[in-house]
Amino acid sequence: MTTGGKLGQVDATIVPRFGGAPTFARLPRIDEVEAADVVVVGVPFDSGVSYRPGARFGPSHIRESSRLLRPYNPAQDVQPFALLQVADAGDIAANPFDIAEALMQIEEAAAVHLQAGSRLVVLGGDHTIALPLLRATAEVHGPLAVIHFDAHLDTWDTYFGADYTHGTPFRRAAEEGLLAPDSCMHLGIRGPLYSADDLTEDGDLGFQIAHATEMDSIGVAGMIERMLARVGDRPVYVSVDIDVLDPAFAPGTGTPEAGGFTSRELLAILRALSSTNLVGADIVEVAPAYDHAQITGIAAAHVVYELISSMAIQTQRLKAQEGSA
């Protein structure tokens, strides 16, 4: 279907949803469009995990779970694929036996799309992939306000002496100067830590924390208020580890923790990002071997849908401002 001059989804009234090419939301491939405002790309890589593997199969699982997404998003009152040309660029080939080489490959592939003027929404993969994505994105936009949804801090120093793992990307990013230290935030943190020093060191790296338990007292509105106040007008990069959701809503992940957000709470917070300068995002740690009835995959697909919808509203707002200037 073509709407607003954008090549959108395959028409589900002509080609059944259970057929056709397995692109995200049945959107066109990157080679079917002249240029893309938003590129969806997968990174099937999980060599940095510390517990249950399997996130390398996340990109294909999220795509398969996205077949029911439709053109109009009533929660945000927007047709994202009519306002933005969104295309699926397939998967980035990352070496599963050499993490250093994989990080380089991911950064280089991401940079090609970013340098062409597209925004990236990346389907992981484990959380190790956030570091090369932050490197490529900061190269274009400068230091980033990272909004990190996760059960875990991911600012630990090393695992078994390894610097580059799924538990260390944001410490490395802070050390490399990729982050705006007064504008980064974790949401949904919970579960046991190694010591109280974990929290102290995390704060020293520039992160504020909205713990999952705070949802009981301040609710979704309070979470949104804190998040928006933290990022201001800086370029925002959103990294969503699906284990920010309670295992009841996302069983298919490698390091589940009890007491997380509901799907409805997470999606509501993501919708508020439409008022920010959202420049890129990833969704990671979807491990389909532990998923049932696509519960986790569907949640991840809706996360991507809300992120793209927020980007569409942001674009619409900027065009309106330019028109009135």
Side-chain angles (χ1 to χ4, degrees):
M1 293 186 295
T2 299
T3 308
K6 312 295 185 185
L7 182 58
Q9 298 171 280
V10 173
D11 190 339
T13 65
I14 298 175
V15 181
R17 294 188 180 281
F18 40 83
T23 58
F24 179 79
R26 308 177 85 221
L27 287 160
R29 301 188 312 269
I30 191 74
D31 61 330
E32 294 178 307
V33 300
E34 291 186 6
D37 302 303
V38 176
V39 170
V40 178
V41 63
V43 183
F45 175 86
D46 66 358
S47 301
V49 300
S50 59
Y51 193 46
R52 301 194 305 201
R56 65 180 60 184
F57 300 107
S60 58
H61 188 60
I62 296 170
R63 288 188 177 102
E64 184 62 27
S65 304
S66 70
R67 289 178 176 271
L68 273 174
L69 295 175
R70 299 179 179 87
Y72 176 61
N73 182 346
Q76 298 212 55
D77 188 20
V78 66
Q79 295 187 70
F81 310 132
L83 292 175
L84 298 173
Q85 180 61 68
V86 185
D88 191 324
D91 291 339
I92 295 172
N95 189 334
F97 300 107
D98 187 327
I99 292 180
E101 181 174 341
L103 297 186
M104 181 181 64
Q105 292 169 326
I106 297 165
E107 181 180 351
E108 290 178 351
V112 170
H113 297 296
L114 292 168
Q115 297 294 342
S118 302
R119 279 179 282 185
L120 279 181
V121 178
V122 180
L123 316 178
D126 76 49
H127 226 152
T128 313
I129 72 169
L131 178 60
L133 296 173
L134 289 169
R135 287 172 176 165
T137 308
E139 181 67 25
V140 174
H141 296 283
L144 301 164
V146 169
I147 298 299
H148 171 217
F149 295 88
D150 203 321
H152 312 96
L153 298 169
D154 288 0
T155 52
W156 284 287
D157 191 8
T158 63
Y159 277 106
F160 293 87
D163 293 328
Y164 301 102
T165 77
H166 77 152
T168 61
F170 299 110
R171 178 183 285 260
R172 298 287 93 80
E175 292 170 346
E176 294 180 20
L178 307 177
L179 312 183
D182 57 346
S183 303
C184 296
M185 188 171 186
H186 310 288
L187 292 94
I189 300 298
R190 64 190 186 279
L193 300 171
Y194 295 102
S195 79
D197 292 342
D198 292 345
L199 297 172
T200 303
E201 293 179 12
D202 185 79
D204 291 342
L205 293 168
F207 281 90
Q208 280 189 1
I209 300 175
H211 294 270
T213 51
E214 294 180 72
M215 184 67 80
D216 297 331
S217 55
I218 66 175
V220 169
M223 290 280 181
I224 291 172
E225 182 178 0
R226 286 187 59 185
M227 177 182 72
L228 296 182
R230 183 67 174 164
V231 302
D233 58 1
R234 285 189 177 275
V236 173
Y237 184 94
V238 175
S239 187
V240 180
D241 186 324
I242 201 65
D243 71 22
V244 72
L245 296 178
D246 189 89
F249 300 92
T253 192
T255 48
E257 303 279 359
F261 290 173
T262 67
S263 303
R264 185 171 60 193
E265 290 166 344
L266 175 60
L267 298 178
I269 296 171
L270 293 177
R271 290 177 192 125
L273 291 164
S274 62
S275 66
T276 70
N277 179 18
L278 180 56
V279 299
D282 63 59
I283 171 77
V284 298
E285 302 285 355
V286 174
Y290 319 106
D291 203 9
H292 314 290
Q294 293 185 327
I295 295 171
T296 314
I298 290 169
H302 279 259
V303 163
V304 174
Y305 186 62
E306 295 298 345
L307 288 167
I308 294 174
S309 295
S310 291
M311 290 178 175
I313 292 175
Q314 174 191 356
T315 299
Q316 191 177 41
R317 183 180 70 250
L318 291 175
K319 286 183 177 178
Q321 291 173 350
E322 291 172 0
S324 62

